């Protein structure tokens, strides 16, 4: 009676709790992209009529062994997480799979249950199995992706199925190893044997040898049964092809044409182009005929000891591309808003991960800081971070303990030399092979960066550097961009682009207080410079503190042109300044009414800017702060651009910028807002552009063409109408007498990246009867004669100009001309020349006493038109006047020399020329 009761209880349990699916009812296959052989790929499971993937949470070598044995391989080398073989589609069947290692099928392992997971396809599991097959399993190629299926319905047997799109459907197994060992079915596979002269291989004739890939680092012995099975399969080379007899060579050629390896080469080129319908039609047609691919004659392959390593089967063997980096502040105090210290997070495959502190060093921190716009990193005490880490791990309500157990949470190993421009150039591993616990004994890496000098005084204008810089950037549209110029023997000069690379550019960026370089530009992509070319063939290791410490060559005369000037784009820190200014009402994002965020009454408020004294320098600062390039116009009226509703009041007035500030808030301004013009339609506005012109004077031409002329008054009628003479001319007895004129030619070149156009439209140009053409600009150039202390003693009064392309180099078409009401301007690369013999091209020195002076010419003095660089608009010469003759010497652009040499110019004569 007791037995009957126990039996009924057992039957009831069997009805209520059916046994788990057997290994024969759950199918497994390997699929995905980037597979090198059939023994690796993304794990996919066939359950309930659909294929799905497996999540990589809590995966270990036991699970990988179960999957590989189920697929017919002897064992697993390692597993691959984070969708190494591409992301799957559809269902994720299994998560948190835990195997003992003795199961016959993955279905026998413990898991959350079918379809229960908290994963995405970015966490799809892959495995890399040993290439050796189990005794009862046939060999497969990449086309014959292994599957655990034995009797899968509606899957006819195919010897060489067509290539897959992403995954491979599981074919039925071949009949027996002996039946598929012919060369026509096996093709050529490469054998890599540590001992090519082994007894097992010596018993096989060269005519029977194929090219099978076998990695025999471990388990080279194997059982007798396995050796008997493998002896029926093709083996590796014993003799080179050209030493085998002719029949064998022809047989191998035929095998190469028809074998799966040849088909594989063709299939790999088509795998992403064939549709599913094409695949099905090819399967039907290929049942009746043998596949033939492109004929590729096999090269003789010999054993290579270097390839025989387990590293090819680890996750870290392929380069891990770490796209971005960021610091998450946890304990540190920021430098006025700059995040200079925090927990490191890196982005891989679109997902942010933490970096394990095991193996992390200062060299790797140096690279991270460079990516974030900081020139250096520093060592600091991390005990506070370790205490916080341990506290969170001990807190039962914290999710940290669960997160760090997932391999997708970590990048476990990063090794940098410290000279790399970004982490993508460093060696990295997402996970360590044969490690069940990620980042064992470590925590998240913490980095502390040192900001550049221009960012340490955040909120105010940057302080001048303690040591005069030896390198500078010119004409860059944004912070940290520009043409590279180097100071040598007191003269600024450019660098020629031969061998210019990212390492040299990074040295320049760090020297200037920025991070590493994003781009190393050549061929004067940010505009041509002037003056000497100091360096060529610059080669840096990345460890230098200055570009002058790098190896370089001198530049022989005429061997390099300014069309080969180099430039850089540097990584700059995120200061948050861009979020404190905005443009409103514009038709495009690069134009509109300027609105700034200011502290008013102890609270941050948005408001407009008073347009009184608003000019191009202020507009340049705003455009640079927004990252929109240069300012092409500074608008003092913005009726056509409606402002934001929360920025109706004026919160900034009396703004005066030098042009080098990083934000409009750093410029000089009124302590108390005072704007008699009012806001609304009279608020300040800007129009920003990516490129701008850059006008430069030819100093050599001025020095060579200067002379004195005593000109009769009756020939100066037109000049007198334009007020080109000194005020004492009005007291003379016209038309008798003469005026002493210092005449010279001037040539102005547009070295920028955009045409220089007058601000006035054609309708407002002025007709000059004397010159018989229209003048488009009233004040274009100032001619001044100064004493050594800067006092102006004489000036030219050329009141109006006509802009045109007087000369353009070969290949550049003249676009602008003065006559016939033509368009006016100066094209990129062209000159506008004002000859010494035209009216008003002089300084009236009739009333000047003999002596030594400074002669100065300034282009675009009122900054009415935008340029990429205003510093080179001034040209200065030493001028000696003895009462009868005049001598010009030392002519140079205003920013061509260091501050020390420029000071000597004002007081001494020992200065050399600086010609274009």
């Amino acid at each position: 009676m007791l037995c009957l009761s126990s039996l009924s209880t057992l039957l009831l349990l069997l009805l209520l709790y059916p046994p788990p699916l057997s290994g024969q009812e759950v199918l497994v296959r390997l699929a995905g992209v980037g597979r090198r052989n059939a023994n690796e790929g993304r794990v996919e499971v066939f359950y309930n009529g659909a294929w799905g993937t497996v999540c990589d949470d809590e995966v270990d070598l036991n699970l990988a062994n179960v999957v590989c044995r189920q697929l017919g391989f002897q064992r697993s080398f390692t597993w691959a997480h984070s969708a190494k073989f591409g992301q799957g589609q559809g269902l994720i069947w299994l998560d948190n799979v835990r195997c003992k290692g003795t199961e016959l099928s993955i279905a026998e392992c413990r898991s959350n249950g079918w379809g229960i997971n908290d994963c995405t396809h970015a966490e799809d599991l892959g495995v890399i199995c040993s290439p050796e097959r189990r005794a009862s399993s046939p060999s497969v190629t990449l086309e014959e992706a292994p599957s655990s299926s034995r009797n899968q319905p509606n899957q006819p047997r195919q010897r060489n199925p067509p290539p897959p799109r992403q995954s491979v459907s599981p074919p039925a197994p071949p009949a027996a190893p002996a039946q598929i060992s012919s060369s026509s079915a096996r093709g050529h596979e490469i054998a890599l044997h540590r001992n090519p002269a082994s007894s097992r291989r010596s018993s096989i004739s060269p005519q029977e040898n194929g090219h099978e890939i076998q990695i025999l680092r471990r388990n080279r012995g194997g059982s007798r049964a396995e050796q008997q099975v493998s002896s029926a399969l093709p083996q590796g080379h014993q003799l080179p092809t050209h030493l085998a007899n002719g029949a064998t060579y022809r047989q191998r050629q035929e095998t190469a044409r028809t074998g799966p390896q040849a088909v594989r080469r063709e299939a790999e080129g088509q795998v992403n182009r064939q549709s599913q319908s094409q695949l099905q039609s090819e399967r039907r047609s290929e049942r009746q005929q043998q596949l033939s691919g492109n004929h590729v004659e096999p090269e003789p392959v010999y054993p290579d000891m270097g390839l025989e390593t387990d590293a090819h089967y680890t996750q870290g063997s392929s380069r891990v591309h770490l796209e971005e980096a960021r610091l998450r502040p946890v304990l540190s105090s920021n430098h006025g808003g700059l995040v200079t210290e925090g927990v490191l997070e890196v982005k891989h495959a679109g997902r942010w991960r933490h970096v394990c502190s095991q193996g992390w060093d200062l060299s790797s921190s140096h690279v991270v800081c460079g990516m974030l716009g900081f020139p250096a990193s520093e060592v600091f005490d991390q005990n506070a971070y370790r205490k916080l880490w341990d506290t969170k791990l001990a807190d039962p309500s914290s999710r940290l303990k669960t997160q760090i157990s997932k391999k997708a949470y970590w990048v476990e190993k990063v090794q940098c030399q410290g000279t790399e421009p970004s982490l993508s150039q460093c060696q990295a591993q997402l996970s360590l092979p044969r490690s069940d616990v990620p980042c064992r004994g470590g925590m998240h890496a913490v980095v502390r960066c040192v900001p550049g000098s221009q960012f340490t005084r955040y909120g105010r204008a940057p302080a001048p550097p303690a040591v005069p810089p030896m390198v500078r950037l010119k004409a860059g549209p944004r912070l940290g961009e520009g043409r590279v110029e180097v100071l040598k023997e007191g003269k600024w000069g450019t660098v020629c682009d031969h061998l210019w690379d990212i390492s040299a550019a990074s040295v320049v960026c760090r020297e200037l207080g920025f991070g590493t370089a994003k781009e190393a530009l050549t061929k004067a992509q940010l505009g041509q410079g002037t003056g000497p070319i100091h360096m060529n063939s610059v080669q840096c290791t990345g460890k230098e503190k200055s570009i002058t410490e790098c190896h370089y060559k001198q530049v022989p005369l005429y061997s390099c042109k300014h069309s080969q000037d180099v430039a850089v784009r540097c990584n700059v820190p995120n200061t948050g300044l861009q979020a404190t200014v905005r443009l409103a009402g514009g038709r495009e994002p690069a134009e509109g009414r300027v609105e700034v965020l200011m502290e008013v009454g102890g609270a941050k408020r948005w408001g407009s800017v008073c347009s009184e004294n608003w000019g191009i320098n202020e507009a340049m600062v705003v455009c640079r702060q927004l990252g929109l390039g240069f300012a092409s116009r500074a608008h003092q009226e913005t009726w056509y651009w409606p402002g934001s509703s929360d920025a109706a009041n004026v919160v900034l007035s009396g703004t005066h910028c030098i042009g080098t500030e990083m934000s409009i808030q750093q410029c000089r301004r009124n302590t108390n807002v005072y704007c008699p013009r009012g806001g609304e339609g009279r608020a300040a506005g800007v129009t920003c552009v990516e490129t701008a012109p850059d006008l430069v004077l030819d100093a050599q031409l001025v020095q060579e063409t200067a002379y004195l002329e005593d000109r009769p008054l009756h020939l100066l009628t037109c000049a007198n109408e334009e007020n080109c003479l000194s005020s004492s001319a009005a007291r003379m007895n016209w038309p008798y007498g003469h005026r002493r004129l210092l005449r010279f030619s001037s040539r102005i070149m547009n070295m920028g990246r955009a045409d220089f156009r007058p601000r006035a439209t054609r309708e407002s140009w002025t007709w000059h009867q004397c010159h018989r053409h229209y003048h488009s600009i009233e004040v274009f150039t100032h001619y001044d004669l100064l004493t050594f202390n800067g006092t102006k003693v004489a000036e030219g009064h050329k009141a109006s100009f006509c802009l045109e392309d007087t000369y353009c180099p070969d290949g550049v078409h003249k676009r602008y001309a003065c006559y016939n009401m033509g368009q006016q301007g100066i094209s990129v690369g062209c000159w506008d020349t004002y000859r010494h013999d035209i009216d008003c091209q002089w300084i009236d020195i009739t009333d000047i006493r003999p002596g030594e002076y400074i002669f100065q010419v300034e282009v675009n003095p009122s900054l009415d038109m935008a340029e990429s660089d205003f510093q080179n608009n001034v040209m200065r010469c030493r001028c000696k006047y003895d009462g009868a003759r005049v001598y010009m010497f030392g002519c140079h652009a205003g920013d061509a020399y260091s501050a020390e040499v420029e000071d000597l110019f004002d007081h001494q004569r020992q200065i050399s020329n600086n010609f274009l």
Side-chain angles (χ1 to χ4, degrees), residues 408-592:
Y409 182 82
W410 293 104
V411 174
E412 288 208 53
K413 191 174 183 181
V414 178
Q415 288 182 323
C416 302
Q417 297 178 358
T419 59
E420 297 87 350
S422 70
L423 284 178
S424 62
Q425 305 297 319
C426 299
Q427 295 182 0
Q429 288 179 276
L430 295 181
S431 66
L432 301 179
R434 304 176 187 87
S435 175
D436 296 338
V437 180
C439 194
R440 186 188 298 273
M443 65 173 190
H444 43 219
V446 184
V447 176
R448 176 185 286 179
C449 301
V450 180
S453 59
Q454 65 268 50
F455 301 104
T456 55
R457 291 165 56 89
Y458 182 80
R460 291 170 289 175
V467 179
M470 300 298 293
V471 64
R472 67 184 182 186
L473 300 182
K474 300 287 284 184
R478 296 171 185 84
L479 183 66
E481 300 181 5
R483 180 178 62 251
V484 178
E485 295 190 356
V486 180
L487 185 64
K488 188 176 181 182
E489 297 178 354
K491 301 178 184 179
W492 289 102
T494 61
V495 179
C496 197
D497 61 7
H498 182 238
L499 300 181
W500 184 252
D501 59 10
I502 199 75
S503 295
S506 293
V507 171
V508 169
C509 291
R510 289 189 187 273
E511 184 178 359
L512 290 168
F514 303 110
T516 50
K518 291 187 290 187
E519 292 182 78
L521 305 176
T522 59
K523 301 186 183 301
Q525 292 185 48
L526 294 186
Q528 298 185 26
T530 59
I533 301 175
H534 285 325
M535 293 181 172
N536 191 15
S537 304
V538 179
Q539 292 179 287
C540 304
T541 64
K543 298 180 180 180
E544 297 86 354
K545 298 296 183 183
S546 171
I547 190 177
T548 57
E549 299 176 9
C550 300
H551 177 74
Y552 66 92
K553 295 181 180 179
Q554 300 291 338
V555 184
L557 196 61
Y558 307 121
S559 63
C560 191
K561 300 179 180 179
H562 281 294
S563 59
Q564 298 170 263
D565 287 343
V566 304
V568 296
R569 288 194 175 102
C570 305
N571 287 311
V572 297
N574 181 14
T575 60
L577 294 175
Q578 188 172 348
T580 62
V581 65
R582 65 191 184 192
L583 302 182
R587 297 165 296 179
E588 299 177 357
E591 67 178 15

Side-chain angles (χ1 to χ4, degrees), residues 599-678:
E599 186 171 333
V600 179
K604 295 284 187 179
R605 287 181 50 190
W606 286 97
S608 58
V609 180
C610 184
S611 61
E612 196 164 349
N613 299 323
W614 183 258
I616 198 70
N617 268 342
E618 290 73 28
M620 284 283 187
V621 172
V622 169
C623 290
R624 189 184 302 111
Q625 183 177 353
L626 289 167
L628 297 176
F630 305 104
S632 63
R633 290 288 298 272
H635 302 271
Q636 294 188 347
E637 293 190 358
T638 53
W639 299 100
Y640 35 83
W641 287 335
S644 303
S645 58
D646 62 339
N649 297 327
V650 176
V651 296
L652 186 62
S653 66
T655 311
H656 178 74
C657 302
I658 300 173
T660 58
E661 297 88 350
M662 287 188 289
S663 72
I664 192 68
Q665 289 88 347
Q666 291 179 355
C667 300
R668 288 168 47 196
R669 63 179 186 270
N670 292 340
T671 305
N672 298 315
V673 177
Y674 174 72
C675 187
R677 286 175 55 88

Side-chain angles (χ1 to χ4, degrees), residues 38-92:
N39 62 316
E40 61 181 43
R42 181 178 63 247
V43 178
E44 295 189 354
V45 181
F46 188 80
Y47 173 73
N48 199 22
W51 287 99
T53 61
V54 179
C55 187
D56 60 12
D57 291 351
E58 298 189 19
V59 65
D60 58 13
L61 199 59
N62 289 335
L63 169 59
N65 280 328
V66 171
V67 171
C68 289
R69 284 200 301 269
Q70 187 175 356
L71 290 166
F73 297 101
Q74 289 186 7
R75 65 191 179 282
S76 164
F77 274 156
T78 186
W79 68 90
H81 62 82
S82 303
K84 173 179 172 61
F85 298 103
Q87 297 186 19
Q89 296 180 351
L91 299 169
I92 299 177

Side-chain angles (χ1 to χ4, degrees), residues 55-61 63 79 95-99 110 112 125 402 405-407 436 438:
C55 187
D56 60 12
D57 291 351
E58 298 189 19
V59 65
D60 58 13
L61 199 59
L63 169 59
W79 68 90
D95 185 17
N96 296 323
V97 184
R98 297 175 290 278
C99 301
R110 297 173 57 194
N112 292 350
L125 172 68
T402 305
S405 64
K406 293 188 176 184
K407 285 186 174 290
D436 296 338

Side-chain angles (χ1 to χ4, degrees), residues 3 276 379 411 423 431 498 531 542 576 584 666 671 728 764 865 875:
C3 294
Q276 188 65 30
V379 182
V411 174
L423 284 178
S431 66
H498 182 238
Q666 291 179 355
T671 305
S728 62
S764 59
M865 283 73 64
M875 185 225 66

Side-chain angles (χ1 to χ4, degrees), residues 75 392 714:
R75 65 191 179 282
K392 287 191 175 182
H714 69 273

